[in-house]
């Protein structure tokens, strides 16, 4: 099958490679000519512009956008006028599902079809495959099935869920038509909200283990501004976090791919000095919490994990200063100098 790919970043380029390996033909375009040149050297057809990409695609065209959510509308506006009725546009980034509903309606007036695909797999997707959560018209999604199937991981060596052999569908293959326009990105949005919480849980738990030596000599200051550790003898552990993460991977109920990646990081760099601890959020966590609020679905854990990302970026700095100011005003408490970590 032929597919146009717009956006050759960390995921887009590898998706082209995976599709090419499966025998599909990809026409690729990116603002970076060097990125286009690279995938062209590996078998893709290079496009020098959106016009050129459209000309090199057979009708009905299928064009996959793998660009940041912030530029999807601008790209669509430029692209839509170059397409013909019956052509298909696929957004595989992390768009807001409400935007998908609007875009699908707008493109429908021009006879164009819109499919939203929440895509998970990251930089590992080339070899592992991409989990895909798909929204759009059933007939159009069915037409694109060869693309989704080739990108998906397949069943692999994961054991089957008991009884799943009696259930039809593609979920076992790693891709799923979730419903009408917006459904794919809605499911991916919640997926990422859960991801925030899982990551926060691992981070907090391993940080408690890291502080397991709080009772060792010199590990805790003793002064009027510090709550004393009443039983320091209970906190004299020096855990190898890399080993803990590794043993948890083996038969533990908290085993997961995220834990696998955590184990890799801790083995490569136990103190994680490469990182500053500033954690970004690209929108999906916020949208998940908004959906939870509007639909009255309680989500305290997911919400806390989002706020923790704000804390990591120093967004609570003024609040912390105000706490210090209040303590000084009512009790004359002086701030302690920050200790080196």
């Amino acid at each position: 099958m032929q597919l146009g790919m717009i956006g050759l970043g960390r995921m887009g380029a590898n998706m082209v490679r995976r599709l090419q390996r499966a025998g599909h033909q990809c026409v690729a375009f990116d603002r970076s000519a060097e990125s286009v040149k690279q995938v062209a050297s590996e078998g893709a057809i290079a496009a020098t512009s959106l016009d050129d990409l459209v000309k090199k695609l057979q009708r009905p065209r299928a064009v996959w956008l793998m660009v940041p959510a912030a530029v999807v509308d601008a790209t669509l506006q430029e692209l839509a006028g170059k397409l013909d009725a019956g052509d298909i546009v696929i957004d595989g980034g992390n768009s807001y599902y409400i935007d998908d509903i609007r875009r699908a309606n707008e493109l429908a007036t021009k006879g164009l079809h819109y499919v939203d695909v929440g895509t998970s797999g990251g930089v590992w997707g080339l070899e592992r495959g991409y989990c895909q959560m798909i929204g759009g018209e059933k007939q159009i999604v069915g037409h694109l099935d060869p693309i989704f199937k080739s990108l998906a991981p397949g069943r692999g060596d994961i054991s089957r869920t008991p009884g799943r052999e009696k259930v039809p569908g593609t979920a076992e293959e790693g891709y799923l038509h979730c419903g009408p326009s917006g459904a794919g990105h809605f499911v991916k949005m919640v997926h990422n909200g859960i991801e925030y919480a899982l990551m926060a849980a691992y981070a907090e738990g391993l940080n408690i283990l890291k502080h397991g030596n709080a009772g060792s000599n010199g590990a805790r200051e003793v002064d009027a501004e510090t709550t004393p550790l009443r039983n320091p003898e209970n906190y004299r552990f020096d855990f190898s976090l890399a080993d803990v993460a590794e043993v948890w991977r083996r038969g533990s109920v908290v085993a997961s791919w995220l834990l696998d990646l955590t184990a890799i990081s801790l083995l490569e760099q136990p103190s994680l000095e490469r990182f500053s601890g500033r954690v970004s959020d690209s929108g999906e966590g916020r949208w998940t919490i908004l959906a939870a609020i509007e639909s009255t679905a309680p989500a305290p854990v997911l919400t806390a994990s989002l706020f923790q990302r704000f804390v990591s970026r120093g967004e609570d700095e003024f609040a912390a200063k105000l706490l210090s100011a209040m303590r000084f005003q009512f009790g004359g408490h002086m701030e302690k100098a920050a200790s080196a970590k």
Side-chain angles (χ1 to χ4, degrees):
M1 190 170 180
Q2 190 186 50
L3 180 75
M5 179 66 76
I6 299 174
L8 301 172
R10 287 173 297 178
M11 290 182 68
N14 277 344
M15 292 170 75
V16 167
R17 294 182 178 104
R18 187 170 175 90
L19 288 170
Q20 294 277 147
R21 289 180 184 179
H24 300 284
Q25 183 186 75
C26 292
V27 181
F29 172 71
D30 191 275
R31 301 296 180 188
S32 166
E34 186 58 38
S35 296
V36 176
K37 181 179 178 181
Q38 179 59 48
V39 296
S41 71
E42 300 173 38
I45 298 174
T48 57
S49 65
L50 292 184
D51 281 312
D52 189 37
L53 178 135
V54 170
K55 289 176 183 177
K56 289 177 176 176
L57 290 172
Q58 303 162 4
R59 298 176 61 184
R61 306 175 184 91
V63 183
W64 188 302
L65 306 184
M66 208 62 191
V67 298
V71 300
V72 172
D73 279 326
T75 306
L76 270 179
Q77 184 175 7
E78 185 179 356
L79 176 67
K82 307 177 189 302
L83 299 175
D84 297 308
D87 289 347
I88 307 164
V89 179
I90 308 150
D91 178 13
N94 281 324
S95 288
Y96 191 19
Y97 77 95
I98 291 178
D99 290 333
D100 292 317
I101 297 171
R102 169 181 56 79
R103 291 167 185 158
N105 290 333
E106 291 173 352
L107 292 176
T109 65
K110 302 177 182 180
L112 301 174
H113 303 284
Y114 180 83
V115 177
D116 53 285
V117 183
T119 310
S120 182
V123 296
W124 297 78
L126 176 59
E127 302 301 332
R128 290 174 57 101
Y130 300 90
C131 175
Q132 299 155 89
M133 296 139 271
I134 307 162
E137 303 158 82
K138 184 176 181 180
Q139 181 180 354
I140 300 303
V141 172
H143 171 72
L144 295 169
D145 187 79
I147 295 294
F148 300 139
K149 188 179 179 86
S150 295
L151 288 172
R155 292 182 187 176
D157 57 1
I158 299 175
S159 59
R160 302 190 78 175
T161 300
R164 174 52 73 170
E165 67 277 0
K166 302 175 183 178
V167 181
T170 61
E172 275 192 303
E173 302 296 327
Y175 67 104
L176 177 68
H177 182 207
C178 301
S181 297
H185 277 146
F186 191 100
V187 174
K188 178 57 161 51
M189 172 187 76
V190 177
H191 163 284
N192 282 26
I194 293 171
E195 179 184 299
Y196 284 23
L198 289 173
M199 293 171 70
Y202 285 129
E204 290 183 14
L206 287 162
N207 192 41
I208 292 172
L209 291 174
K210 187 176 187 300
H211 285 77
N213 66 350
S216 300
N217 291 334
R220 193 78 168 267
E221 293 184 55
V222 178
D223 56 43
E225 296 298 319
T226 306
T227 301
L229 186 61
R230 296 187 180 278
N231 300 107
E233 66 277 7
N234 294 337
Y235 297 93
R236 290 177 178 165
F237 303 109
D238 287 304
F239 298 111
S240 166
L241 299 187
D243 286 348
V244 171
E246 187 64 34
V247 76
W248 282 353
R249 295 180 59 222
R250 313 287 174 171
S252 164
V253 295
V254 300
S256 73
W257 187 40
L258 276 174
L259 184 60
D260 295 344
L261 300 178
T262 300
I264 292 172
S265 293
L266 290 172
L267 185 62
E268 289 179 344
Q269 199 172 64
S271 62
L272 302 179
E273 62 269 14
R274 173 185 171 189
F275 303 96
S276 68
R278 181 184 176 88
V279 187
S280 299
D281 73 288
S282 53
E284 300 89 349
R286 303 185 189 203
W287 302 333
T288 300
I289 304 312
L290 180 59
I293 292 169
E294 293 186 338
S295 65
T296 67
V301 175
L302 274 60
T303 302
S305 69
L306 174 64
F307 286 146
Q308 179 55 43
R309 294 197 174 198
F310 297 166
V311 170
S312 78
R313 302 198 298 265
E315 302 291 353
D316 64 339
E317 182 179 5
F318 182 78
K321 288 181 177 180
L322 195 53
L323 288 172
S324 284
M326 287 187 283
R327 291 186 80 243
F328 176 76
Q329 289 294 339
F330 68 66
H333 300 284
M334 302 299 295
E335 283 188 326
K336 295 177 60 177
S339 57
K341 297 295 184 182

